[in-house]
Structures are given as C-alpha cells and as structure tokens.
Amino acid sequence: MNKIDILIVGVGGQGVILASEILSDVGLKAGYDVKKSEIHGMSQRGGSVSSDIRFNKNKVFSPIIPAATADFILGFEKLETFRALPSINEKGIIISSDFRLDPMTVSTGAAQYPAAIEETIKKTHGKTYFFNEEGIVKKIGNPKAINIYILGALASFLEIEKDLWTDVIKSRVPPATVALNIAAFNEGMDIAR
Amino acid sequence: MEKKLLSGNEAIARGAWEAGVVLAAAYPGTPSTEILENIAKYKDIYSEWSTNEKVAFEVALGAAFSGKRSICAMKHVGLNVAADPYFTASYTGIEGGFVIVSADDPGMHSSQNEQDNRNYAKFAKIPMLEPSDSQEAKDFVKAALEISEKYDTPVLLRITTRIAHSKSIVELLPRTEAPQKPFPEKNPKKYVTIPAHARVKRAKIEERSAALAELSEEIPLNKEESGGTELGFITSGISYQYIKESFPEAAVLKLAMTHPLPFKKAGAFVKKMKRTVVVEELDAYIETELKARGITVEGKNVIPVLGELNTDIVRNAIKDIRPEKPAANIPVRPPALCPGCPHRGVFVVLRELGLRVVGDIGCYTLGVLPPLSSIDWQVCMGAGISMVQGIEKAWKDAPAEKIVGMVGDSTFFHSGITGLIDVVYNKGKGTLFVVDNSTTAMTGVQDHPGTGRTLMGEPAEKIDIKEICRACGVKEVYEVNPHDLDELYDIVEKAVASPVPSVIITKLPCVLLRFKAKERFVPIVIDQEKCIGCKTCLSVGCPALSFDTEKKKMIAIPFMCVGCEVCSALCPVEAHMHNGERIRPKRKHKIRGKK
Ligand SMILES: Cc1ncc(C[n+]2csc(CCOP(=O)(O)OP(=O)(O)O)c2C)c(N)n1
Ligand code: SF4
Ligand code: SF4
C-alpha cells in the first residue's frame, strides 16, 4: 500500500498514545514518510482521545486524516469507535474492542449510550472486527496489553515485516512485560481467523 | 544522518541544543510545555521552570544581555503575562541570540481564548518565523538565533498546537557551540531604557524594521512553489500542509518569515495569478497587511476565522462546497476530575454550603462541569484571588451571597501572591482557597517552587505556602486534607463568617503523583443489595462510578476507583464498602443546602 491512514480512538488512560507511538515508529522503520497528530496536554483521564497516524511512500502533508479517508480505525471503546466512523473510507477496516465505558453524561442520565453499536456499524461497514475485551484479557493475561493486541490485529492486515513490529514493541514497553506484550501481539495477529 | 520522529516541541528543544543555546526558561502551558521538558534532557543547557512567563522571559533575556544564546517558551496567553519585558526588549536588542516561542492554540483545545499572537510580532516590531512541520521547527530555532544576533533583536518563533503536538521526521545534527564572547562592556545607552535612551532606540527600531523587510524579501525560507496561474495560495505554518494536500498542483507562496512580510515578493506572486487566496488560521493577519499595501487577495471571505483549519475545510472553502453535517447524536465524553482527585472534596463541600466561587485555571476548573457545577467565574491565572476582592468591595463588603476564591498551588506562585497582598493591604475579608496538590497538574504534573525539585531534577528549597500567606499578613491560615469532608466543612463555615481575610490550603497530592510513586489503591465496592439506585453518590462527578441502567444499581469500576471514599460520604444508606468493611461516615454530606 502506498498510503495508510490509521485512526486510533479511545478514552484517556487506555494506552492510545503508546499504541500510536509504536505504530508511527514502525512506519518510519518500514521506510514510509510518517506524520502523527493528537491533541493531548490535559492530564485528567477519562476524556475522549484520538490519534491520527499517516504513512505514505511519497510524502505526508497534513498530520490530520481528512474525512472519509482513513484506511483503519482502531477502537479501544465502542462508543469512541462509533464517534470515529465519519473518518473511515468505504473499504476501510475497523478493529474495535466491545468494551463499554459510560461517559459521565450517560451515567447521570443526561444522555443515552447508543444501542446496538456493533450491529449498526457492521451494517454499513463490512470489514469490521469487534473483539470481546473480557475474553481477550483472559487470554493475554493483562488488560494493559490490549493496545498491543490491537496493533497485532492491525499488523495482520499490513505488509510490514513482523520483526519490525516486535523490535519496536520491545524497545517501547517496560522490560518486565516484553514477553506478555509479544504474546498479546501474536494473539492479535489471529483476529481475522 | 540519523532520522527520528519528533513532535514540534521536541524538535524545538533539539534545535536549541544543536544551535548552542545555553539557557532555557518557561512556565508550563499547553501546547508549549514539552519544549522545556525536552530541553531539560540536554545537560549542556541550563533549564528552569520559572515562576511565571514574565519571569521566564526576563531570565532568558538576562542571559541574552550577557552575550549567551537563550530561549524562552510559553503558551499564547503566557505572552500576555510577559508582554511588559517583551515590548521593551524590542528596544534594547540583545548580545546573544534570543528566541521567544509562542505556542498558540487555535480551536482552544486547552485554552481560555484563541488569540492570534502573530499580532504581537507586528505590535512590538519583532521579527517572526512560523514553521510548518517538525523539521522546520528545529531549523527555524537556528535561523531565529542568527537573525536575532545579526539584527540585534529578539525573535518570535510562533507555533500552533498542530505543530507543537504533531510528529514528523527530523534529521538530527550534532551540537555546535555558539562563538564565545567576552562578558559585555558597560553599555547603558543600549540597555538602560530611561526615556532619553529609549527615544534614540525607538528611531533605531525603524531602521532595523527596514533592514528586516529587505531580509524577508531575500530569505530563501520565504519561497514560491510554482504551479499554474489560475489559482495561487499565500500561506504559512500548518495551513501550508492543508494546501499541499488539497491542491497539490497549485502555485504556493510559502511564508516562513511572517513579520515583516515580503510585500514585493507577494505582490509579484499575486500579479501572476488569476486568483490568489491567503490561507491562514485565526485572524486575517497576512491578508490585512497585503491589502493595506494594495495587493489584491482573497482570504477570510472564504476561509473561516474561527478555530483550526484542516484539509477538508480548506478544500471546501476554496471550491465553495458546503458539506452536510451528519446529525449524529453521540454523547460527548468531556474530561473530568480523575478518580481520587484531591480537588473533588473541595467542590463537594462548596456545593453543600451553597457558596459562589471565583475559580482559576488548572485541573480544578473542571469543578464548573455538572454534576459538581461549583465554579461561577474564571478568567486567567491569579484572578481567582483578586476578583473576590472586587466583588466584595463593589458590594460594600457584604455581597448578597457568600463568595470564596480559589487558586491552585502552581497558580498561587505564578500570580496569586500579588492578589493576596492586595486583599490584606486593602482590608478585604475574602475566603481564599489554595488547592495544593503538590504539582502543576493540568499541564502534565510539572514541578514548581513548592515541590522541592527543579526542572533539572535537583532538590530545591520547598517554599511553604502557609508561611507566605502569614508573611503577607493573613491571620487565619488553615491547612486541611480535602478528603476529610467533615473538617473541611467546619473550616469553610468558620472562615466565611470571619471578618478578616482567610486562606484555606487544601493539601493532598494529585493522584497522578501517587500512581508515579507506585502507591497501591483498594477500590470501594458498592453493596448491590443495599444500593437503592438513588445516584446521590454519583453527584461527586467521579468517572469511576457507573450506573447499571438495567439493575438500577451503582457500581464502582474496580480498575478506576482508588478508594478515596469521597462519594461514600454522600450515600444515604451506607451501601459503600472498603477493605471488606462498611463505610459509616460520621456525617452524611448533602448535595446542596445546609440542612
Ligand atoms: C498565563 C498562563 N500560563 C499558563 C497557563 C496554562 N495553565 C493552565 S492551568 C496551569 C497549571 C495550574 O496548576 P495549579 O494551579 O497547581 O492547578 P492544578 O492543575 O494542579 O490543579 C497552567 C500552567 C495558562 N492558562 N495561563
Ligand atoms: S491530574 Fe491530578 S489534579 Fe488533575 S484531575 Fe487528575 S487527580 Fe485531579
Ligand atoms: S471512592 Fe468514589 S469518588 Fe473515590 S475514586 Fe472511588 S468511586 Fe471515585
């Protein structure tokens, strides 16, 4: 692929930024021009977080992915995945957790969590992969490795050497968690199967 | 050559290091904070968190006066605080290169206003560079230092959030030390701005401006990228990227030096084009200047004046496409005070007592949002103290409602102390909070004069807020743990009734610091049998609480809750458990009203 635009979305504290750091480093090592953009700088956890990562064999100009052109959405929470939908292109692939975390507005009753998000998305977007958060956490053994699991899922759709991924992951995660994270990555690579 | 992905802020830090800067000073502020955090990693540079932006500016200016290369960085509103030395530094000029980074925030991702600081360049007659990616951010630091030294002027490096926080590929170079100069000779005519000297310098500024205008025409950084002659763009900063993506074939005059502007170059470019559009975020800064010189361009007639631009906005504006906005009804997810945030207890008590609150800027500003809904006024750093004085005096010391003021610990040092002295000196009787969480939390937990540690990681004198208040003449100073709601309640009641000024320092570390210290937290558990689903505890606005709409029961999300028990003090039926025991608060706190 000449251009790959990836949007990662989630809630503050879920590891969106680390995932985007790893992903952009992989792109650089794979020989792409890379830009990445996110709005950060607020400390409090719990707000929506998103990161745009853009790879191009030629040149990336804007660091922000234009509407309806993202090739992938990686979602850490399904309401955030739903919110990100206008970004994806027709043939784009959506990989998302089925995890639900109510925003304060929903908990207080001021707003409602949209019903049947997974079904709604699947109706319009054929290439959608929702994974069961609880089941995957049980398999990989640590909720913190979900972000690496999702990267594994993404990697299964890209033609980037696996060693590149694992090298970058090793250099970015705490040393004590390398084995666990590599296992999570491998598990993610199986998502489409 | 080594290549790395760097954010604009990391690139500026790298640029300062490569260009031989020896001193850097800043006060944190999104989106500029990471510049100094990254400079601090280079041991060749002395770096500091200054008390506020004016101090940071003056520290760096001192270094520049003494012949050394220096840099200071601040968010856009920070330059308002530093404006006083900024304007006069234009008169004095410098000995060593001096760069001021202004990080503007179009779209107000994390700011109280959207001011366009390019106006500050023109206003103070100070040259300005605007990078459009990280490589340029790094390169322009060096270019700015060279312009500064050659033209004897401070230089403004103006970036925006998208430049500061986006990453792109940068080529790394080694550090080059700046040429060593002896300590400067006495030169009061240049550096002491008594009116007689300043008048002479005022005329010199006009000469310098003329020379800089020449430079802007010649400098290769202001460059034309040829295309057709139907449609041309004049642009700078991040907007350049949006043009290249939406109109890859069009001719572009890409401006890097945007004060002074290259009017001849722009005029010649416009002459070649059938239509020229100036594409810039925020004010019609370039457009207005060009039009004032009789250069016919379009600009804000099509390009929005509010907020950030992007590829879609620029393309649609130029092609006059009006896309339909999908009316998706998706609940927003605004940030909230973290679970266990020390500020939460303060707002629970203020709300219970029905007090009106003059707030300030920091994490605690989030106390304005429902369900806490506690803050009534907030403008800028420091106003959380001084405005209380204004309200009370205007109402002859007896406003219809009880008012309290509030600043954070970092804000107290930044600009709270002067307001406090005003209250004491002018016989105010305000009740003022310093919500002390031992850090500058909002911008990502930076140290400050009260934390006992410097930016470079050295232990430092811990400046005691209580002692400062006493030294300022405050007779009633209280210190209290904000999670002890009973004690806090009693203190606030007493302080509000008192006829003299009082300061209540609420002391408990920000939970992010406690996470960093690897503290272990035990979440509370809500007894599902006992919970009556009244949602009273949720009124503390904690993201760790979630209402199960099917079972009509509240739950505390185990991986989020830190067990601070603030919400538990509101439960009317004692349904909350902690460490296996039922939480039985001595007093039950209510949502609003005393009884
Ligand atoms: C003049 C100015 N400089 C910097 C900022 C950015 N800023 C907003 S809040 C804040 C820190 C507040 O720290 P503190 O008062 O301790 O409150 P906390 O966030 O820790 O609760 C900063 C630096 C600003 N808004 N205005
Ligand atoms: S970062 Fe610290 S001060 Fe800010 S909301 Fe979280 S706990 Fe509170
Ligand atoms: S005890 Fe209550 S207020 Fe404190 S973190 Fe847990 S849920 Fe939030």
Side-chain angles (χ1 to χ4, degrees):
Chain A
M1 280 189 266
N2 252 342
K3 99 148 187 140
I4 310 170
D5 287 334
I6 305 146
L7 180 62
I8 311 184
V9 296
V11 179
Q14 277 192 306
V16 168
I17 305 292
L18 178 61
S20 78
E21 290 285 314
I22 291 173
L23 178 55
S24 50
D25 253 4
V26 168
L28 177 69
K29 295 218 158 64
Y32 288 98
D33 187 24
V34 179
K35 278 189 183 167
K36 141 177 147 93
S37 183
E38 69 243 342
I39 294 301
H40 56 80
M42 300 262 275
S43 293
Q44 318 82 24
R45 288 143 186 230
S48 300
V49 178
S50 73
S51 181
D52 294 31
I53 298 106
R54 311 195 71 189
F55 298 170
N56 200 304
K57 284 278 179 214
N58 301 313
K59 190 162 171 48
V60 181
F61 289 106
S62 167
I64 314 168
I65 303 170
T69 64
D71 303 294
F72 294 91
I73 289 177
L74 309 183
F76 286 64
E77 196 277 349
K78 62 183 176 183
L79 176 64
E80 296 310 314
T81 306
F82 195 42
R83 198 192 307 285
L85 270 197
S87 294
I88 196 94
N89 74 36
E90 291 154 4
K91 292 184 205 140
I93 295 174
I94 298 167
I95 300 166
S96 176
S97 169
D98 69 350
F99 181 59
R100 166 177 173 166
L101 188 62
D102 288 359
M104 188 67 61
T105 43
V106 170
S107 299
T108 58
Q112 287 205 323
Y113 200 94
I117 287 180
E118 295 169 49
E119 291 72 19
T120 314
I121 296 180
K122 279 180 180 160
K123 250 182 236 159
T124 47
H125 294 81
K127 295 187 197 157
T128 297
Y129 301 86
F130 271 96
F131 60 88
N132 175 247
E133 174 107 359
E134 247 186 86
I136 295 297
V137 169
K138 268 203 196 109
K139 263 196 192 165
I140 63 179
N142 189 332
K144 286 199 175 134
I146 281 285
N147 51 5
I148 307 297
Y149 169 86
I150 294 185
L151 289 181
L154 170 69
S156 70
F157 296 101
L158 298 179
E159 290 145 15
I160 296 177
E161 274 173 61
K162 190 175 164 194
D163 286 354
L164 262 180
W165 288 95
T166 47
D167 283 354
V168 176
I169 292 170
K170 281 178 197 160
S171 71
R172 286 278 188 170
V173 300
T177 67
V178 166
L180 174 113
N181 277 298
I182 298 296
F185 183 82
N186 288 333
E187 187 64 38
M189 296 222 25
D190 279 344
I191 193 162
R193 253 176 262 154
Chain B
M1 203 180 300
E2 197 193 341
K3 286 185 179 184
K4 233 178 145 177
L5 268 172
L6 296 183
S7 69
N9 285 347
E10 290 167 333
I12 288 172
R14 178 78 194 189
W17 179 77
E18 287 180 5
V21 163
V22 304
L23 180 142
Y27 180 75
T30 312
S32 70
T33 313
E34 300 82 3
I35 297 173
L36 261 274
E37 285 179 332
N38 281 286
I39 286 184
K41 294 176 186 162
Y42 299 110
K43 296 305 164 206
D44 307 302
I45 304 179
Y46 167 81
S47 59
E48 68 166 48
W49 287 133
S50 305
T51 341
N52 64 33
E53 291 86 352
K54 178 175 183 288
V55 174
F57 188 103
E58 291 157 352
V59 167
L61 185 62
F65 277 6
S66 77
K68 299 288 187 182
R69 287 191 162 181
S70 69
I71 187 167
C72 64
M74 55 203 71
K75 74 181 279 151
H76 59 337
V77 290
L79 194 49
N80 301 336
V81 177
D84 195 5
Y86 172 77
F87 279 90
T88 303
S90 174
Y91 282 59
T92 60
I94 46 76
E95 298 294 316
F98 179 42
V99 175
I100 305 129
V101 185
S102 166
D104 295 10
D105 190 17
M108 295 177 272
H109 295 288
S110 189
S111 302
Q112 66 266 43
N113 79 23
E114 200 179 39
Q115 68 188 48
D116 186 336
N117 275 9
R118 294 177 302 169
N119 296 302
Y120 263 123
K122 186 183 173 212
F123 197 0
K125 305 173 195 290
I126 283 176
M128 163 169 64
L129 300 182
E130 286 188 80
S132 55
D133 62 17
S134 298
Q135 179 70 51
E136 288 190 351
K138 191 193 78 150
D139 295 345
F140 287 12
V141 175
K142 184 157 178 264
L145 287 163
E146 286 165 0
I147 293 172
S148 171
E149 284 165 2
K150 182 155 180 218
Y151 292 85
D152 190 10
T153 176
V155 176
L156 188 64
L157 183 68
R158 190 259 191 177
I159 59 171
T160 54
T161 304
R162 287 290 166 188
I163 298 295
H165 285 174
S166 298
K167 289 200 168 184
S168 57
I169 299 173
V170 177
E171 289 182 352
L172 306 183
L173 295 174
R175 176 171 166 99
T176 315
E177 294 297 337
Q180 286 296 316
K181 295 181 190 173
F183 196 84
E185 300 284 319
K186 278 169 90 78
N187 192 355
K189 286 205 168 121
K190 187 165 187 307
Y191 290 114
V192 181
T193 54
I194 53 171
H197 296 170
R199 270 180 225 115
V200 177
K201 294 296 293 181
R202 175 69 194 85
K204 286 245 160 81
I205 290 179
E206 292 309 305
E207 289 168 25
R208 180 181 78 200
S209 294
L212 285 164
E214 289 293 313
L215 174 70
S216 188
E217 300 290 351
E218 292 153 15
I219 196 166
L221 298 180
N222 285 339
K223 61 172 182 249
E224 190 176 324
E225 296 176 5
S226 53
T229 54
E230 279 300 306
L231 176 61
F233 294 102
I234 299 178
T235 189
S236 68
I238 191 71
S239 306
Y240 167 78
Q241 308 292 355
Y242 306 143
I243 298 280
K244 292 301 280 185
E245 180 147 337
S246 46
F247 297 93
E249 310 297 329
V252 180
L253 179 60
K254 177 186 184 297
L255 300 181
M257 185 167 182
T258 44
H259 185 76
L261 285 162
F263 293 109
K264 286 184 213 144
K265 215 175 207 166
F269 178 81
V270 170
K271 236 187 203 153
K272 283 189 277 187
M273 300 295 144
K274 279 218 180 100
R275 179 187 181 199
T276 306
V277 185
V278 178
V279 179
E280 54 190 328
E281 278 176 337
L282 307 183
D283 294 350
Y285 166 79
I286 298 175
E287 178 189 352
T288 308
E289 291 292 295
L290 296 184
K291 283 180 171 164
R293 264 88 181 167
I295 302 170
T296 313
V297 289
E298 290 181 54
K300 295 294 169 186
N301 56 322
V302 287
I303 303 293
V305 70
L306 303 182
E308 288 190 291
L309 302 178
N310 61 36
T311 306
D312 296 309
I313 293 172
V314 168
R315 185 194 307 107
N316 293 341
I318 306 289
K319 295 190 171 165
D320 199 19
I321 302 168
R322 275 156 230 198
E324 276 172 51
K325 279 242 168 87
N329 199 5
I330 301 178
V332 292
R333 193 189 298 274
L337 295 174
C338 303
C341 174
H343 301 325
R344 180 167 286 109
V346 178
F347 292 117
V348 168
V349 166
L350 292 179
R351 180 179 61 180
E352 189 177 7
L353 284 164
L355 298 171
R356 304 290 294 272
V357 181
V358 183
D360 207 299
I361 306 192
C363 282
Y364 49 98
T365 316
L366 290 172
V368 68
L369 298 179
L372 288 168
S373 309
S374 286
I375 293 179
D376 294 86
W377 302 277
Q378 170 261 319
V379 177
C380 66
M381 293 185 76
I385 291 180
S386 2
M387 288 203 308
V388 175
Q389 174 78 351
I391 294 173
E392 294 194 340
K393 290 294 177 186
W395 286 78
K396 300 215 184 330
D397 286 338
E401 294 193 54
K402 297 263 193 230
I403 315 282
V404 300
M406 179 182 297
V407 295
D409 43 348
S410 189
T411 302
F412 179 78
F413 290 112
H414 178 284
S415 47
I417 300 171
T418 39
L420 183 61
I421 293 174
D422 184 85
V423 172
V424 175
Y425 167 53
N426 289 306
K427 303 176 187 301
K429 40 187 191 183
T431 304
L432 309 163
F433 280 81
V434 180
V435 288
D436 180 357
N437 56 2
S438 307
T439 189
T440 316
M442 179 79 186
T443 42
V445 294
Q446 289 80 27
D447 281 296
H448 65 58
T451 66
R453 235 174 71 107
T454 69
L455 171 61
M456 295 177 84
E458 286 163 358
E461 186 74 32
K462 221 181 203 175
I463 297 169
D464 189 325
I465 296 176
K466 188 167 58 237
E467 293 305 322
I468 294 185
C469 294
R470 291 215 176 104
C472 291
V474 182
K475 298 286 183 296
E476 290 184 18
V477 184
Y478 305 91
E479 230 176 41
V480 57
N481 174 344
H483 283 176
D484 185 340
L485 300 185
D486 295 351
E487 194 188 352
L488 180 60
Y489 187 102
D490 291 346
I491 288 176
V492 179
E493 244 190 346
K494 198 167 136 201
V496 169
S498 157
V500 295
S502 51
V503 174
I504 302 170
I505 304 165
T506 60
K507 239 180 140 58
L508 187 70
C510 161
V511 282
L512 299 190
L513 295 181
R514 298 169 71 186
F515 282 128
K516 269 196 184 168
K518 307 257 182 255
E519 198 175 320
R520 306 275 293 178
F521 294 105
V522 182
I524 59 156
V525 173
I526 298 177
D527 182 344
Q528 299 291 291
E529 299 285 303
K530 271 215 147 183
C531 176
I532 53 170
C534 65
K535 291 193 182 182
T536 309
C537 63
L538 186 66
S539 76
V540 304
C542 179
L545 290 169
S546 182
F547 192 66
D548 187 330
T549 35
E550 272 160 36
K551 298 196 191 118
K552 302 255 180 298
K553 303 279 179 187
M554 195 61 72
I555 45 168
I557 303 169
F559 70 90
M560 291 178 79
C561 172
V562 301
C564 73
E565 299 188 9
V566 167
C567 60
S568 311
L570 276 81
C571 179
V573 294
E574 297 183 351
H576 292 209
M577 317 274 296
H578 202 190
N579 294 307
E581 283 180 38
R582 193 160 299 283
I583 305 168
R584 300 183 197 280
K586 268 192 249 119
R587 264 189 258 165
K588 295 219 171 66
H589 289 268
K590 304 241 163 47
I591 296 184
R592 189 176 281 281
K594 276 197 174 186
K595 288 279 129 50

